[in-house]
Amino acid sequence: MALARREGMKAGDRLIEQRLADALDLSRAPIRLGLKALEAAGLARGEPHRGFVLAKNPTSGAAQPALAAVRRNEQVYATIAGDVLATRLPADVTEAELMRRYGLSRAELQRLLDRIAAEGWIARLPGYGWRFAETVSNPEAQAKAMAFRAVIEPAAIAQPGFALPQEVIVRLRERQQRVFEGELEKMTIGEVFHSGCEFHEEIIRGAGNPFFLEALKRVNSIRRLFAYRSFADRDGMRRHVREHLRLLDVLETRRYTEAADLMARHLQRPLVAGLS
């Protein structure tokens, strides 16, 4: 439902399994389970020859309990991320300690740990407990992540044969425009982060080299922690989105040398003063 809201979907729009699987980085099996859960909650319905469609607008009151669950998960995730960055948590932790500290059930904690482990900043210890990755507690990690992106993303645009299909540019512009024109105030920090990642990953995909894309996805999974500090500044985010829109204008006219330069400046400028 958060994805449907982010994409401006309305009641009656199709919920296409493969598109959802790609957007959420899942196989189709859990997507089907999710669609059935939405159907049971009255938020989706199955239609002959169309599959599932939205039964309610994602901005309607009926959708709020589902979106509230997303916000609750994001709040706990953000709290853990903040505690890790501020070294309020030890490197090694147990599930019992985390459940007690954050008021979570074992099932809630397991879902969070699975997500964090998939993002690469925690790993299960061989015998007992979990260990946070060293890169998380390293104060230079964010600066290094941004320095890496400032190398690979402009380089991808400068590759011979770089091309961004017009339909991709149109889709990205529509989404960034919605964010700029007011959607930003309704989005969780996690949704803001996802929107930014999607924008940059779609552009780097234009190089036609999967190694660029995989490298960016990897660094984005680690960068998510730091984003929770900087993405709270909505004024800074509006400036960021304006730069995204300007970059799309240049890419649309295939001025790739200029676009690579714009991307480099965009990535080298801190989102928030005092933060790399």
Side-chain angles (χ1 to χ4, degrees):
M1 293 304 292
L3 179 64
R5 184 182 66 178
R6 201 157 58 230
E7 297 195 350
M9 296 177 70
K10 305 293 183 186
D13 286 351
R14 291 185 64 201
L15 295 165
I16 300 172
E17 283 186 13
Q18 191 58 57
R19 188 177 298 169
L20 292 170
D22 292 342
L24 299 174
D25 198 20
L26 295 168
S27 68
R28 292 176 67 168
I31 293 296
R32 291 190 193 105
L33 292 175
L35 291 171
K36 289 176 181 176
L38 287 180
E39 184 178 40
L43 298 173
R45 66 175 181 271
E47 291 189 349
H49 312 299
R50 294 192 73 205
F52 283 96
V53 300
L54 272 177
K56 304 285 184 181
N57 286 337
T59 54
S60 69
Q64 294 315 301
L67 294 172
V70 172
R71 286 191 290 271
R72 156 74 174 159
N73 289 338
E74 288 294 331
Q75 286 167 357
V76 176
Y77 179 103
T79 300
I80 294 174
D83 286 346
V84 170
L85 289 170
T87 64
R88 289 188 289 265
L89 281 171
D92 294 353
V93 292
T94 66
E95 292 185 12
E97 290 170 340
L98 294 174
M99 288 165 58
R100 190 164 52 248
R101 183 182 182 103
Y102 299 106
L104 299 170
S105 69
R106 187 168 295 280
E108 288 172 329
L109 177 63
Q110 194 59 58
R111 283 194 293 271
L112 272 173
L113 290 174
D114 287 345
R115 171 183 172 182
I116 294 169
E119 291 171 0
W121 52 280
I122 200 171
R124 188 185 290 277
L125 292 171
Y128 181 68
W130 297 76
R131 174 171 293 164
F132 290 107
E134 289 183 16
T135 52
V136 172
S137 57
N138 185 342
E140 298 179 356
Q142 169 73 337
K144 290 178 178 178
M146 294 307 294
F148 178 71
R149 291 181 63 207
V151 171
I152 67 166
E153 294 192 52
I157 296 173
Q159 291 294 297
F162 178 91
L164 209 58
Q166 181 63 26
E167 60 268 24
V168 173
I169 292 174
V170 169
R171 185 176 75 247
L172 291 177
R173 181 181 284 120
E174 287 175 351
R175 291 178 182 175
Q176 293 294 302
Q177 199 68 48
R178 283 202 308 271
V179 171
F180 186 73
E181 292 175 354
E183 188 67 20
L184 180 64
E185 304 305 324
K186 305 172 187 175
M187 297 167 73
T188 67
I189 294 176
E191 288 176 301
V192 174
F193 177 76
H194 183 279
S195 175
C197 287
E198 178 188 50
F199 179 86
H200 285 271
E201 289 169 10
E202 284 289 348
I203 288 176
I204 209 169
R205 197 188 300 272
N209 184 331
F211 291 102
F212 278 119
L213 180 59
E214 289 305 315
L216 180 58
K217 285 185 173 183
R218 173 62 178 162
V219 78
N220 277 342
S221 69
I222 295 296
R223 192 173 62 88
R224 180 185 292 266
L225 269 73
F226 303 99
Y228 277 89
R229 290 189 299 178
S230 56
F231 281 21
D233 176 23
R234 299 301 164 120
D235 289 337
M237 277 307 307
R238 285 188 198 88
R239 173 176 58 76
H240 220 57
V241 174
R242 277 199 301 270
E243 292 178 3
H244 284 176
L245 290 167
R246 170 61 180 156
L247 182 59
L248 288 173
D249 290 342
V250 175
L251 286 168
E252 189 169 34
T253 55
R254 301 182 182 179
R255 288 143 47 208
Y256 296 137
T257 300
E258 183 181 346
D261 185 55
L262 275 176
M263 179 66 84
R265 294 203 303 272
H266 175 68
L267 294 172
Q268 288 164 359
R269 182 166 39 246
L271 179 57
V272 181
L275 289 177
S276 297

